[in-house]
Amino acid sequence: MAQKHIIGQAESRWDAIAKVKGQANYTGDFPIKNLLHGKILHATIAHGYVTSYDISEAEKVPGVLKILLPEDLPQIKYSTAGHPWNLEPKKRDIEDRTMLTRHVRVYGDDIGAVIAKTPLAAKQALSKIKVTYDTYPVYLTPKQAMALDAKRIHEERDNVIASTAVGFGDVNQGLDEADFVLHRQLHTPVQLHAHLENQVATAFQSEDQRYTCISSTQIPHICRRIVAQANGLPWSLVRVKKPFIGGGFGNKQDVTIEPLAVAMSKAMGGKPVQINLTREESLAYTRTRHAIDYDVKLGVKKDGTITALDMQVLSNQGGYASHGHAIGGKGGTFINALYKMNSLNYGAKTVYTNIATAGAMRGYGMPQVIFALECVIDDAADKIGMDPIEFRLKNHQPDGFYNELSHTKQQDFRIGDCLKQGPEAFKWQAKVQQAKAFNQLQGPTRRGVGIAAFSFGTATYPFGLETSGARLILLPDGSFKLMVGATEIGQGADTALSQMAADTLGVPFESIIRDAITDTDTDPFDTGAYASRQTYIAGYAIRDAAEKMRKMIIQRAAATFDIRGEFMDIVDGNIVSVSDGDLITTVKDMAQASYFDWQTAKTMVAESSVNIHNNSYASGCTLAEVEVDLQTGKIKLLSLMNVHDSGKIINPLLAAGQVEGGMAMSAGYGLNEGLVYDELGRPMNNNLLDYKLPTTMDLPDLDEIFVETKDPLGPYGNKALGENPTCSPAPAIRNAVKNAVGVGIDTIPLTPESVYDALQAAKAPKGVS
Amino acid sequence: MYDITDYHEATSLAEVFKLAAADPKARIVAGGTDTLVKSWAEVPAFTGIALIGITRIPELQGIVCQEDGTLIIGALNTFVTIEHDPLIQKYTPLLSQAVSLVGGPQTRHMGTIGGNICNAGPAADSAPALFTYNTTCEIQGPDGVKNVPIADFYRGPGQTILKPGEVLTRFKIKAGDYQDFHGHYTKFARRNALDIANLSCAALVKVQGEQIRDLRLCFGAAGPTPLRMPVAESYAKGKPLTDATLAQIGQLCLQDTHDITDWRDTKAFRDHLVTVLPGRDITAALRGA
Ligand SMILES: Cc1cc2nc3c(=O)[nH]c(=O)nc-3n(C[C@H](O)[C@H](O)[C@H](O)COP(=O)(O)OP(=O)(O)OC[C@H]3O[C@@H](n4cnc5c(N)ncnc54)[C@H](O)[C@@H]3O)c2cc1C
């Protein structure tokens, strides 16, 4: 088929103008008659049991309509994780929560709810509910929760909810054979998604007596199922609509408030009720990135051969299972995807604790494991006196490597190109020299450069189901309505998907009409926005539907003009002769005929649904340059570049946006972010002043390059890009700091105090702490 | 979801006094950038109250230099105005630099210098500069006008000597308190914007050749209120400008600071910074000289 070149163009987002003009409606923007407001009563302890509630004062607050306690709602246990349903009960996510609970497992747990006429009345009522608790010991870390005498956080299961090991070869032998063994303990913090739009959902009983939930969700179809399960409703009695979304980053790949919103509406006889979390609630009481601790042993020979890697992983799950072990258990495959080694043992445990429930967050475990891996890899290069880039070039997996751990052949795996082209574009050698010269001045600051590499899967195969559907409707004027279940959450999916449809159909980008709303009643099934999957998985569905549609249009033209279909092509909305490019007819004329021709009118709809059983591995690296203040420990990020092997770039403008946003997120991860708890499990910094997201003033100009190829499997030569940018900036920054000051710090974030302390500790004579 | 019961817009000081007398719980609001945040957070004194808006009162506006050189700064001036005002830039550039570091553009457009001082946060960015300039606060109330040195204006974190109905109208800085001084302010925070100082330090220094003639230092966030450093300041007078002097100044500051450990930072780290920042500020101030 002829290339129409809409793929690869920096088309503007179809929704850009609506957003600039303020026309884009987000969940909270829809005017709803007689809207009531629901608020959640959050526990003020981290572990215990509610022995009594006194709601007498709260009930008196004017405007309060109903106060819900756990026993007022269904006690059906469900899981909030945004995974496709599994027909095999054993493989389902752990179902360990009810909408409201007396069993408090995290600070802020949902122990009651108020429905009122105004948000203020609901808030005032909350402050008047008196709660008494039995308190239990609080476990903040996996180690505490794994202690022999630790209480079970969920009676029905051990605090260690999963324990797995993957690998190959004999690690002990490998460590014996090594010239050097590096042994490191590394720690990553609880990172927060901090999406611009907090979680918000409005639920009401619709005319047909079913429940509609308008929600800011990444996963409308999964959300419908979970809302129904939690409320004990048939799935079809729930309809989820997703309008524009102000970001999610994985937090909205969990179904947090929607079941309760529907339960509240039910409790009010179907009246509309909205739950609109505050920033403080969204930060502390929804989902987080798992804090993971790594105990790593790496064996390396003087020539740079990696003889063994033993990685013991403790993943802090928080109070509820959510995505659970899918995250902590994931690293082995991608370590194997990235580096050659003689033996690997990746042992992972995921453990309940009493901090906020960890769930999906952009990168899904990879930012953690890549941090641990790339710190140790970098230190190994130092140990044997090899250049860190050369060490990675020597050890990376080749293109075409067959990954036994995921049964995936890594076709078109371009990490080698990234490691060559990246440093050149970054002017690595020049920066090394500049840093040396700068450091010779012996001023109060030091400069250094660092690198880190990563690998990343596209979607979840072979671990998860990968289905997607698309529908194209030819409209009377020759434009097309594109309907997909894949979810636009601000990342630009709808624009990229429209480009694909236009490209395959042979029509201008503007001929594709998308919808601001994804509706589970009318849109095809797709599991949603996560796992960097949509451009890939939904891409196949769109290609299928567009090819079908194209065929139908050509068939009509063939019948109308008595020309064989294979002699025709669609180019820019025109149907032309393949041999000489002469115009035969237009898509518009065929569309008109399909609606109104007296004899032949028959409208055209093309449907597709795909189930994808392949995965294309992406890769890349980050290069960082920093300046460290020796007296204060403050780090200044001087430059940061990401290099991506993500196949064909569908839309370079959107791709750059994704990459730069991800780099900022990971720079924050490395330097400043982390939810902090006191010893009672109370979050200390769940607001945007104290949770230190980077501002533009904290970031240098961000640079990115793409090692662009055409992936042989991807529907348009593309593979994952959405999450990839968050994998390697943090370790690259850490390695740059090490390069600057000679001390490798293994716990992020690298706050001024922690850097200063590490510098002091390194100065102290050996044996003195 | 603000629990604010009413709003009155006052157009004169007399009106403020009248409104405050009628409703002593009512709170004055200028830019609202502290008031609304505290109301949202349900701080008791900011919850279930009425607000009295003062932004249209003429006496609180303007920046002028009197004939005797006294600089008069109306309490309602926003950070943006102060940062760019030619008189401030000419006579008290340390203040201009300090307020340029407040929050982000939105906050600098809305927030006022009067609000910054009346809010009495230990880390307020305009405070250390105003302390080193020996600023006088003019207060007007139903009983008349008072002039109070800024160091006496604070009673503790979030607390000032203002009585209900009293308005901080203007700041006054005498010529002798800014002439021949060079200043620099360091806001030590985890971010370069939209942050509150973990520790801040303003230095105002006068030199003769290589000798320190006068030094004024004020720390923010090193105690319950902004703090001047009398021990270090008196030590510095007449001392040669050497690394050793600067190091000693830093050490002596520890005699007047009251750092604590909290989840943000330890006392040890804050104390360490206390010893580092004054020397850096003095050096930076004189680099600009
Ligand atoms: C996002 C954000 C970032 C911020 N960043 C910073 C920062 O970096 N540095 C910093 O120092 N501050 C910061 N602040 C705090 C705030 O902006 C400042 O303290 C500002 O100066 C307050 O001024 P305002 O006019 O808004 O005060 P308001 O909120 O109107 O008032 C504050 C208090 O002062 C009283 N008050 C105000 N004016 C008078 C008066 N003339 N007489 C008597 N009482 C009065 C009010 O009753 C109230 O108690 C930030 C705030 C926000 C929201």
Side-chain angles (χ1 to χ4, degrees), chain A residues 629 631 672 692 698 753, chain B residues 190 192 195 266 272 280:
Chain A
D629 189 325
Q631 288 176 324
N672 239 337
K692 307 290 185 188
D698 302 296
E753 179 159 9
Chain B
R190 297 255 299 266
N192 295 324
D195 214 342
T266 62
H272 165 70
R280 287 192 171 190

Side-chain angles (χ1 to χ4, degrees), chain A residues 495-736:
Chain A
T495 303
L497 300 181
S498 298
Q499 284 178 257
M500 293 175 169
D503 201 86
T504 298
L505 284 166
V507 300
F509 172 67
E510 295 72 25
S511 298
I512 308 296
I513 298 171
R514 266 298 295 140
D515 205 307
I517 291 182
T518 305
D519 182 336
T520 55
D521 258 24
T522 54
D523 282 310
F525 184 80
D526 181 294
T527 49
Y530 57 87
S532 302
R533 61 179 291 281
Q534 290 191 144
T535 325
Y536 193 74
I537 305 294
Y540 292 106
I542 286 166
R543 191 178 65 186
D544 273 12
E547 279 171 357
K548 279 186 200 165
M549 174 59 80
R550 183 178 173 281
K551 225 177 254 162
M552 282 191 263
I553 296 168
I554 297 236
Q555 264 167 16
R556 173 171 277 278
T560 311
F561 295 96
D562 194 22
I563 302 173
R564 289 182 63 81
E566 69 259 33
F567 295 156
M568 288 187 269
D569 192 11
I570 308 180
V571 179
D572 206 22
N574 294 318
I575 300 174
V576 299
S577 156
V578 173
S579 52
D580 53 15
D582 280 0
L583 180 71
I584 299 166
T585 182
T586 62
V587 171
K588 181 177 175 182
D589 282 348
M590 291 297 95
Q592 288 271 307
S594 77
Y595 275 83
F596 306 116
D597 184 88
W598 186 258
Q599 296 296 340
T600 65
K602 199 173 170 191
T603 56
M604 298 189 208
V605 179
E607 284 269 358
S608 70
S609 179
V610 296
N611 181 350
I612 301 303
H613 283 208
N614 48 263
N615 195 323
S616 301
Y617 278 18
S619 67
C621 64
T622 301
L623 301 119
E625 181 190 22
V626 300
E627 184 172 324
V628 184
D629 189 325
L630 299 176
Q631 288 176 324
T632 65
K634 225 180 158 178
I635 297 166
K636 189 169 167 193
L637 198 48
L638 298 176
S639 38
L640 197 64
M641 174 186 276
N642 261 25
V643 187
H644 287 283
D645 150 37
S646 286
K648 179 74 189 163
I649 299 303
I650 306 296
N651 182 321
L653 189 62
L654 289 175
Q658 281 294 298
V659 173
E660 291 184 14
M663 290 166 76
M665 198 169 232
S666 181
Y669 189 50
L671 290 171
N672 239 337
E673 293 184 35
L675 186 61
V676 179
Y677 290 89
D678 71 7
E679 66 282 4
L680 296 176
R682 217 166 18 153
M684 296 283 89
N685 56 338
N686 54 322
N687 62 71
L688 292 181
L689 169 60
D690 293 315
Y691 184 84
K692 307 290 185 188
L693 290 173
T695 71
T696 51
M697 303 289 283
D698 302 296
L699 297 166
D701 281 345
L702 301 169
D703 294 314
E704 66 281 329
I705 59 172
F706 299 102
V707 179
E708 209 173 335
T709 56
K710 217 168 170 317
D711 183 77
L713 301 179
Y716 292 84
N718 56 303
K719 50 187 177 182
L721 180 64
E723 298 168 278
N724 314 23
T726 53
C727 292
S728 50
I733 291 167
R734 177 270 187 192
N735 291 338

Side-chain angles (χ1 to χ4, degrees), chain A residues 172-186:
Chain A
N172 288 329
Q173 189 191 331
L175 292 172
D176 283 346
E177 286 167 7
D179 291 325
F180 301 102
V181 173
L182 289 88
H183 188 183
R184 295 274 188 282
Q185 258 98 36
L186 304 106

Side-chain angles (χ1 to χ4, degrees), chain B residues 27-38 46 54 60 75-76 79 101-104 107 110-119 123-126 162 166-169 187 194-197:
Chain B
R27 181 164 282 278
I28 286 170
V29 63
T33 59
D34 279 314
T35 304
L36 294 184
V37 171
K38 288 182 170 177
F46 291 77
I54 58 169
L60 278 62
L76 279 178
F79 294 122
L101 300 174
V102 170
T107 308
M110 289 300 291
T112 65
I113 188 164
N116 201 219
I117 297 305
C118 292
N119 186 58
D125 279 310
S126 69
L162 289 180
E166 283 186 334
V167 180
L168 174 61
T169 44
K187 174 175 182 171
L194 277 176
D195 214 342
I196 299 290

Side-chain angles (χ1 to χ4, degrees), chain B:
Chain B
M1 263 204 312
Y2 296 94
D3 189 0
I4 290 167
T5 57
D6 207 349
Y7 180 77
H8 312 284
E9 181 80 38
T11 52
S12 69
L13 282 170
E15 214 177 324
V16 175
F17 305 148
K18 214 172 82 188
L19 287 163
D23 179 1
K25 267 182 67 194
R27 181 164 282 278
I28 286 170
V29 63
T33 59
D34 279 314
T35 304
L36 294 184
V37 171
K38 288 182 170 177
S39 177
W40 176 265
E42 297 172 85
V43 174
F46 291 77
T47 311
I49 50 147
L51 296 180
I52 304 173
I54 58 169
T55 52
R56 286 172 177 76
I57 302 176
E59 288 95 321
L60 278 62
Q61 325 276 350
I63 298 170
V64 292
C65 188
Q66 288 182 336
E67 245 162 61
D68 67 353
T70 304
L71 194 64
I72 310 276
I73 306 166
L76 279 178
N77 282 288
T78 64
F79 294 122
V80 162
T81 309
I82 291 177
E83 178 186 349
H84 300 289
D85 182 81
L87 293 174
I88 302 271
Q89 285 182 342
K90 186 168 171 200
Y91 299 122
T92 57
L94 171 63
L95 182 60
S96 168
Q97 186 222 340
V99 301
S100 76
L101 300 174
V102 170
Q106 295 96 330
T107 308
R108 293 198 294 274
H109 273 95
M110 289 300 291
T112 65
I113 188 164
N116 201 219
I117 297 305
C118 292
N119 186 58
D125 279 310
S126 69
L130 291 176
F131 270 67
T132 55
Y133 285 121
N134 286 337
T135 304
T136 300
C137 302
E138 183 193 88
I139 299 167
Q140 294 202 34
D143 310 328
V145 185
K146 280 187 283 196
N147 284 291
V148 180
I150 192 160
D152 299 337
F153 185 74
Y154 285 77
R155 287 203 294 120
Q159 292 180 323
T160 68
I161 58 166
L162 289 180
K163 296 201 214 53
E166 283 186 334
V167 180
L168 174 61
T169 44
R170 316 191 290 176
F171 299 98
K172 301 176 186 172
I173 302 175
K174 292 213 190 71
D177 284 312
Y178 61 75
Q179 273 166 1
D180 302 328
F181 277 101
H182 302 286
H184 194 265
Y185 177 65
T186 298
K187 174 175 182 171
F188 194 86
R190 297 255 299 266
R191 284 192 293 224
N192 295 324
L194 277 176
D195 214 342
I196 299 290
N198 292 41
L199 187 74
S200 62
C201 178
L204 205 54
V205 60
K206 214 192 279 193
V207 289
Q208 193 162 36
E210 288 298 295
Q211 212 178 42
I212 298 174
R213 266 179 57 204
D214 199 357
L215 175 69
R216 296 169 184 181
L217 290 170
C218 180
F219 275 95
T225 66
L227 294 170
R228 283 282 290 268
M229 299 289 112
V231 178
E233 289 179 22
S234 70
Y235 160 82
K237 274 187 197 130
K239 293 285 179 316
L241 253 178
T242 62
D243 287 347
T245 305
L246 296 182
Q248 182 61 10
I249 288 170
Q251 285 301 325
L252 290 174
C253 285
L254 288 173
Q255 299 200 15
D256 287 308
T257 53
H258 303 285
D259 287 321
I260 53 161
T261 292
D262 61 15
W263 65 268
R264 293 183 177 92
D265 282 310
T266 62
K267 173 175 164 56
F269 184 58
R270 287 196 168 105
D271 280 350
H272 165 70
L273 291 176
V274 163
T275 67
V276 173
L277 299 190
R280 287 192 171 190
D281 274 334
I282 293 167
T283 310
L286 295 174
R287 201 179 296 134

